[in-house]
């Protein structure tokens, strides 16, 4: 009996070890994989720096549905990427390009899910943000359904709903605020926040939490009955730089999306915003450039497939 229990413990430990991601997973099987991803992201970034937030968002949306398994990359009518919350996603060609280069030298070794996680890290680094060692070893999922994307956080939802959705992925309030700090780069459409400017909660007035000077600027950018597809920076001060400006904006009533601004209304999330955007950042509070990589590593471990689960796709946009 004792021998059987001992074998069982060893088996469980072996399975746990197998299921863990690790940095440098491809160091012997495909040593140039990470540098290929990096050079590919650099080439696209040099032509269009807005690809950085696109890649970061792509990874986030992937991890929130089916876990970080590359399911967002699958093309097809009923696939995940065609769900309503995913229609604005882009950057797929970057991942496809990197994958084709890697397949040419290391066929069937590197997963699309790992390429996406690495590309998201490189995107942040190229935007003057922090860099970090990405644990790799993910395998690609075999399921991608648009019907499963309903749990993605929406900019129209209150903090309480976001809290539940993040908690379901093992992410707490600190992770929630830290990861939303990715909005320090990137843009959104007027249609996603113009209701805050003109007819907030059907009152005919603007959202009272918007700073009045900023409200005037937003009305110029997004006039009433104007082009709802016009793009507006999520961070009005340094939209191309990965920094703490986003948190200062939320603190000062200059958040673009309602869900971002609501972080200031909730006592738990406000504390984290204050830590990042306050005057004593790095001394009394958390440092965003230190905390963001930790939150990203935590996010990129959500429901990953390892070992014999899933597959290593030959082409990222279709199952083998």
């Amino acid at each position: 009996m004792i021998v059987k229990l001992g074998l069982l413990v060893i088996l469980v430990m072996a399975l746990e070890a197998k299921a863990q991601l690790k940095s440098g997973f491809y160091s012997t099987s495909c040593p140039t994989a990470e540098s290929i991803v990096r050079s590919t992201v650099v080439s696209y970034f040099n032509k269009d720096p807005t690809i950085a937030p696109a890649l970061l968002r792509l990874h986030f949306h992937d991890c929130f549905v089916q876990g970080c398994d590359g399911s967002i990359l699958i093309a097809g009518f009923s696939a995940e990427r065609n769900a309503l919350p995913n229609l604005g996603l882009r950057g797929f060609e970057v991942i496809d390009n990197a994958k084709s280069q890697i397949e040419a030298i290391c066929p069937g070794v590197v997963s699309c899910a790992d390429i996406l996680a690495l590309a998201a890290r490189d995107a942040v680094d190229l935007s003057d943000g922090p860099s970090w060692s990405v644990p790799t070893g993910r395998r690609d999922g075999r399921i991608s359904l648009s019907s499963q994307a309903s749990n993605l956080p929406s900019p129209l939802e209150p903090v309480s709903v976001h809290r539940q959705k993040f908690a379901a992925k093992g992410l707490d309030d600190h992770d929630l605020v830290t990861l939303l700090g990715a909005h320090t780069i990137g843009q959104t459409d007027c249609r996603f926040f113009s209701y805050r400017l003109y007819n907030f909660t059907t009152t005919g007035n603007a959202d009272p939490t918007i700073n009045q000077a900023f409200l005037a600027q937003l009305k110029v950018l997004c006039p009433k009955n104007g082009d709802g597809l016009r793009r507006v920076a999520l961070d009005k001060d340094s939209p191309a730089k990965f920094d703490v400006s986003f948190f200062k904006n939320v603190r000062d009533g200059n958040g673009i999306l309602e869900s971002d601004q609501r972080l200031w209304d909730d006592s738990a999330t406000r504390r984290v915003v204050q830590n990042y955007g306050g005057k004593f950042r790095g001394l009394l509070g958390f440092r965003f450039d230190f905390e963001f990589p930790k939150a990203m590593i935590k996010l990129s471990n959500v429901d990953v497939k390892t070992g014999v689960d899933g597959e290593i796709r030959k082409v990222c946009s279709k199952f083998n």
Side-chain angles (χ1 to χ4, degrees):
M1 182 68 177
I2 294 174
V3 173
K4 286 184 178 179
L5 281 172
L7 288 171
L8 182 62
V9 169
I10 292 171
L11 179 61
V12 169
M13 288 175 65
L15 287 171
E16 287 179 348
K18 191 175 185 180
Q20 289 175 349
L21 305 180
K22 68 173 184 177
S23 298
F25 182 83
Y26 301 110
S27 58
T28 55
S29 60
C30 192
T32 58
E34 293 200 21
S35 62
I36 289 173
V37 175
R38 171 78 181 192
S39 63
T40 305
V41 175
V42 167
S43 68
Y44 280 89
F45 180 85
N46 287 340
K47 296 172 194 169
D48 176 16
T50 67
I51 198 65
L55 290 170
L56 189 52
R57 187 171 177 232
L58 199 57
H59 180 51
F60 180 88
H61 280 235
D62 181 42
C63 292
F64 249 79
V65 185
Q66 285 286 332
C68 309
D69 66 348
S71 54
I72 192 66
L73 304 172
I74 294 294
F77 179 75
S78 62
E80 199 176 300
R81 71 157 89 173
N82 284 323
L84 191 60
N86 292 330
L87 294 182
L89 294 179
R90 61 191 185 92
F92 297 99
E93 70 283 1
V94 182
I95 308 305
D96 290 339
N97 189 327
K99 175 64 171 175
S100 63
Q101 292 179 62
I102 291 171
E103 281 295 300
I105 56 172
C106 309
V109 174
V110 182
S111 70
C112 299
D114 275 343
I115 292 172
L116 182 51
L118 291 165
R121 183 272 312 274
D122 294 336
V124 172
D125 182 36
L126 288 168
S127 303
D128 293 329
S131 186
W132 61 93
S133 179
V134 177
T136 44
R138 297 167 192 77
R139 286 170 66 85
D140 299 318
R142 294 193 178 101
I143 298 171
S144 181
L145 296 170
S146 59
S147 58
Q148 296 184 345
S150 59
N151 68 327
L152 279 164
S154 162
L156 304 179
E157 293 169 340
V159 171
S160 58
V161 174
H162 280 192
R163 177 178 286 120
Q164 292 170 358
K165 290 184 174 182
F166 275 72
K169 303 299 178 186
L171 303 167
D172 58 25
D173 282 350
H174 184 77
D175 300 317
L176 188 162
V177 179
T178 304
L179 291 169
L180 282 181
H183 287 170
T184 185
I185 55 176
Q187 302 172 316
T188 189
D189 297 352
C190 286
R191 58 180 170 162
F192 293 125
F193 66 89
S194 59
Y195 68 93
R196 298 184 67 206
L197 312 182
Y198 302 104
N199 193 25
F200 187 64
T201 61
T202 67
T203 60
N205 299 314
D207 183 341
T209 63
I210 303 176
N211 179 296
Q212 288 300 301
F214 189 46
L215 175 61
Q217 295 174 31
L218 289 177
K219 284 186 173 181
V220 171
L221 292 171
C222 301
K224 197 170 186 178
N225 302 317
D227 181 6
L229 297 178
R230 181 170 182 179
R231 307 287 283 166
V232 176
L234 286 166
D235 177 352
K236 72 180 184 66
D237 297 316
S238 53
K241 187 175 182 182
F242 204 91
D243 56 19
V244 296
S245 178
F246 167 81
F247 299 105
K248 294 178 179 179
N249 286 334
V250 170
R251 178 196 66 195
D252 298 336
N254 295 327
I256 297 278
L257 299 175
E258 184 180 357
S259 56
D260 288 347
Q261 190 56 54
R262 295 293 167 259
L263 294 174
W264 192 250
D265 298 338
D266 182 277
S267 59
T269 54
R270 180 191 293 182
R271 280 195 293 272
V272 186
V273 173
Q274 284 176 319
N275 268 314
Y276 291 144
K279 294 178 181 178
F280 302 104
R281 185 180 73 258
L283 295 174
L284 301 178
F286 293 106
R287 278 181 47 204
F288 180 51
D289 59 352
F290 179 71
E291 297 295 322
F292 187 78
K294 292 199 298 183
M296 281 295 288
I297 290 172
K298 195 172 174 181
L299 168 71
S300 66
N301 273 272
V302 169
D303 297 332
V304 293
K305 293 161 183 65
T306 58
V308 295
D309 291 337
E311 63 184 17
I312 303 296
R313 285 184 218 140
K314 295 182 179 69
V315 177
C316 289
S317 60
K318 59 183 181 181
F319 303 121
N320 289 346

